Amino acid sequence: MTADLSSLANRLVKGRELSIEEYAFFIENRTPELAQELAWQAVEVRQGIYGKDVYVRGLIEISNICKNDCLYCGIRASNKNCQRYRLTPEEIRECAAEGYRLGFRTFVLQGGEDAYYTDALLCALIRELKEKYPDCAITLSLGERSYESYKALKEAGADRYLLRHETADKAHYESLHPVEMSFENRMECLKSLRELGYQVGCGFMVGSPGQTARTLAKDLKFIEEFKPDMCGIGPFVPHADTVFAKEPAGTVELTCFLLSIIRLLHPPVLLPATTALGTIHPEGREMGILSGANVVMPNLSPVSVRKKYALYDNKICTGEESAQCKDCLSARMRSIGYEIVTDRGDVKKDGRHGRV
Ligand code: 5AD
Ligand code: FES
């Protein structure tokens, strides 16, 4: 490793911040040795906060109906080949009941921006779930909504909200989204969620079209400053019915490198080894954990809809029952010396508003 890289690595580990130029230099000049060194450091830091525990989130994909038309996404509004579905509150309750039985203590309700899910419907559902499972956390991942909506959902009992920022570079954001969507509104939503008291998750795809070392460096700077409670990063995987059908997928190597950096610059962050990572490599999720991730998200959706929630091609876990999916991940985690725990898995807050 060059002296430059070593000294940057040291500053990252000790100071938890670098300049945008330094992050970009780091990304452009990374070597397998540097990646290994950062992964070891990231695992040590994670171990100090979370031990060998891996948190699980039961992912319920409630709807693939979406008003947005993000250029990279398989469920974009203009994809006529997508068979649309939405789950009723009753179906969602059934998924949660099965999840609770299996030991999940966080439910993630994720879906497209589907107007069927009004505040009234969601608030009633959240209240019911919180009443029935008071020891569980509810995470929402339902895209951009109004401040008033986020507020009502929080008051109904939602604990966390995932809204990937997608990219911290405005021009890059605009190249991935139609004109109706704005970078400013995305960032505004994240701020509102934080202000309302949610545990907030941001994130981005690795290897999205047009991404450069510099746009990634800005993502890292954003994470360093925003200090999200959660951060979802996974490789971009092309979907045949999108504008980016012919683009290459992101790599496991770069995703894992970035997972390590994110753990080091914000130690308490809840960092999933995503399904997309498992999709591009058979051991992708294990590699993610060994790079500093500490969360996995097995699928709790009804098997009948899983194939339809196709943000990208060849997604894994679409044929499995929920129990199989959970057992599979438990075995995978055990094989690398980690243990899935039955726990809400809240962020260990110590470092949230300052440097740890
Ligand atoms: N490949 C990987 N991730 C994708 N997402 C959407 N489309 C793709 C794709 N083709 C991610 C986006 C979104 C999250 C729900 O899924 O980052 O925020
Ligand atoms: Fe879903 Fe392996 S994690 S089948």
Side-chain angles (χ1 to χ4, degrees):
M1 214 189 302
T2 67
D4 273 358
L5 283 181
S6 287
S7 90
L8 277 185
N10 272 329
R11 284 191 29 230
L12 178 66
V13 173
K14 299 216 169 75
R16 292 180 192 138
E17 64 177 47
L18 296 179
S19 68
I20 291 179
E21 289 67 34
E22 289 168 332
Y23 283 126
F25 178 86
F26 222 29
I27 292 165
E28 272 169 341
N29 295 285
R30 70 189 187 280
T31 60
E33 296 71 45
L34 174 67
Q36 184 59 72
E37 177 60 29
L38 292 185
W40 280 328
Q41 300 269 10
V43 163
E44 195 173 306
V45 163
R46 191 265 327 271
Q47 169 96 11
I49 305 174
Y50 295 105
K52 294 275 189 194
D53 290 354
V54 174
Y55 295 146
V56 269
R57 317 309 192 187
L59 182 64
I60 309 176
E61 298 157 330
I62 68 171
S63 170
N64 69 356
I65 298 175
C66 191
K67 76 167 163 53
N68 289 333
D69 209 24
C70 305
L71 275 62
Y72 47 83
C73 182
I75 65 167
R76 62 201 304 255
S78 66
N79 181 8
K80 299 284 174 292
N81 296 328
C82 175
Q83 274 186 50
R84 305 287 168 172
Y85 76 90
R86 60 167 67 105
L87 301 185
T88 61
E90 180 52 27
E91 290 171 308
I92 298 171
R93 284 195 292 270
E94 282 166 19
C95 292
E98 166 77 348
Y100 192 84
R101 207 179 56 71
L102 293 171
F104 290 95
R105 295 297 176 265
T106 289
F107 304 119
V108 181
L109 309 188
Q110 183 173 86
E113 292 189 20
D114 178 352
Y116 168 81
Y117 298 94
T118 57
D119 292 347
L121 182 151
L122 287 171
C123 287
L125 176 64
I126 293 165
R127 284 205 180 88
E128 244 181 273
L129 290 173
K130 289 295 281 193
E131 216 161 281
K132 196 154 178 212
Y133 312 111
D135 53 340
C136 290
I138 294 189
T139 304
L140 302 176
S141 179
L142 300 170
E144 297 177 21
R145 301 175 73 97
S146 68
Y147 184 89
E148 289 65 39
S149 172
Y150 287 150
K151 185 162 186 277
L153 300 171
K154 182 77 184 61
E155 284 166 3
D159 301 276
R160 311 185 185 130
Y161 205 103
L162 301 173
L163 182 72
R164 290 189 174 182
H165 65 286
E166 307 299 356
T167 166
D169 180 279
K170 182 172 153 68
H172 185 217
Y173 187 93
E174 287 169 358
S175 75
L176 295 174
H177 299 95
V179 287
E180 296 77 36
M181 293 180 71
S182 95
F183 177 69
E184 286 77 13
N185 194 53
R186 195 84 179 169
M187 289 299 181
E188 205 44 51
C189 285
L190 283 168
K191 265 202 235 147
S192 302
L193 291 163
R194 163 67 52 87
E195 188 185 310
L196 287 163
Y198 284 94
Q199 289 180 31
V200 184
C202 64
F204 59 91
M205 295 178 288
V206 178
S208 63
Q211 187 173 68
T212 62
R214 186 161 174 91
T215 65
L216 278 174
K218 287 185 169 181
D219 289 318
L220 295 175
K221 194 65 181 173
F222 173 67
I223 291 161
E224 181 200 287
E225 291 175 350
F226 185 67
K227 296 190 169 37
D229 302 286
M230 297 98 73
C231 183
I233 74 160
F236 160 75
V237 184
H239 186 292
D241 298 319
T242 64
V243 177
F244 299 135
K246 299 253 146 45
E247 297 289 327
T251 64
V252 189
E253 178 269 318
L254 182 54
T255 307
C256 287
F257 182 73
L258 293 166
L259 284 170
S260 300
I261 294 184
I262 293 168
R263 170 66 61 204
L264 289 170
L265 62 84
H266 183 36
V269 71
L270 295 164
L271 200 55
T274 61
T275 304
L277 196 50
T279 295
I280 61 163
H281 190 288
E283 270 97 47
R285 287 165 299 179
E286 292 88 325
M287 292 159 82
I289 297 292
L290 295 172
S291 304
N294 68 328
V295 174
V296 289
M297 299 173 72
N299 202 321
L300 264 190
S301 309
V303 176
S304 58
V305 307
R306 287 189 191 191
K307 275 200 173 39
K308 298 180 187 159
Y309 196 80
L311 307 182
Y312 48 82
D313 287 331
N314 307 315
K315 189 177 148 205
I316 53 169
C317 303
T318 57
E320 275 65 26
E321 294 290 340
S322 302
Q324 283 178 306
C325 213
K326 164 118 196 277
D327 289 347
C328 164
L329 266 172
S330 298
R332 285 171 180 274
M333 295 302 112
R334 224 169 295 127
S335 78
I336 53 168
Y338 287 75
E339 200 59 51
I340 277 184
V341 292
T342 297
D343 191 295
R344 273 175 55 118
D346 286 302
V347 68
K348 306 233 162 143
K349 286 218 170 178
D350 324 331
R352 177 164 153 199
H353 293 298
R355 316 241 168 257
V356 194

